[in-house]
Amino acid sequence: MSAPILILTEVALGPSERKAVEGLLSGEAAKIDVLVPAGRKRRLVVDFLDHLSMLEFSKAVEGLSEQPADPAAQRTAAQAALDASLAALEGLGAELAGTIIEGDPVQALAERAAASGAEQAVVVTLPHAIEDTFHTDWANLAQRKLGIPVLHLYAGTGFIGDS
């Protein structure tokens, strides 16, 4: 079996992500390990600017008054994203595993990469204009921390980000 492919995602994977992952499989038996964080640390100003840059004015304003989500609700949402992601990758001929992670997602990805001997990782995020511009997004942080190739996909678009 070849080294596992690690996938860190903040949203449920769909057809475009399946296609990208399928392209990474080398034809031999592989393992795909999906990591979904339970919640995301809010950065009010960055989130506000992200929404403005995407011309999402109502979301920008809503985000200012939004209360932090309940941890149980965050965990439920993460489990739903994990279940949908595993279903989206079903039938690729790879062994599938998935985990909900707590704490720093990039650190969890680095620990999993070291423990599993992974040789590549995929980070799937929504566009985050500020983080992407200043290279503080998960994919860029992972690229620097892991020392293995990291593919950055923007969820639902098939667009590959710069990492």
Side-chain angles (χ1 to χ4, degrees):
M1 181 180 287
S2 64
I5 297 171
L6 300 178
I7 301 174
L8 172 63
T9 183
E10 67 178 344
V11 295
L13 301 179
S16 60
E17 292 81 26
R18 176 192 169 91
K19 184 177 179 182
V21 171
E22 189 172 19
L24 296 176
L25 298 173
S26 60
E28 57 187 76
K31 179 178 180 180
I32 297 173
D33 195 358
V34 180
L35 308 173
V36 179
R40 184 177 168 114
K41 187 172 102 178
R42 284 187 74 210
R43 297 186 328 187
L44 190 61
V45 173
V46 173
D47 290 347
F48 178 76
L49 293 173
D50 275 342
H51 288 303
L52 286 181
S53 69
M54 302 291 284
L55 303 177
E56 299 170 336
F57 302 115
S58 62
K59 284 185 181 180
V61 174
E62 288 170 11
L64 292 175
S65 61
E66 205 172 80
Q67 296 298 316
D70 173 50
Q74 289 179 334
R75 191 151 182 79
T76 300
Q79 186 64 55
L82 179 59
D83 293 344
S85 296
L86 293 175
L89 298 173
E90 206 48 58
L92 287 179
E95 179 186 333
L96 298 175
T99 309
I100 296 174
I101 55 175
E102 304 287 341
D104 180 3
V106 175
Q107 182 61 38
L109 182 64
E111 290 169 3
R112 186 66 57 93
S116 68
E119 296 175 355
Q120 56 188 335
V122 178
V123 175
V124 181
T125 66
L126 298 168
H128 298 288
I130 302 301
E131 293 165 324
D132 294 343
T133 299
F134 293 105
H135 303 290
T136 59
D137 58 281
W138 289 352
N140 277 286
L141 296 173
Q143 183 71 48
R144 291 190 293 268
K145 191 171 199 117
L146 272 66
I148 61 175
V150 176
L151 177 65
H152 185 193
L153 297 175
Y154 290 113
T157 67
F159 183 74
I160 299 173
D162 176 30
S163 63

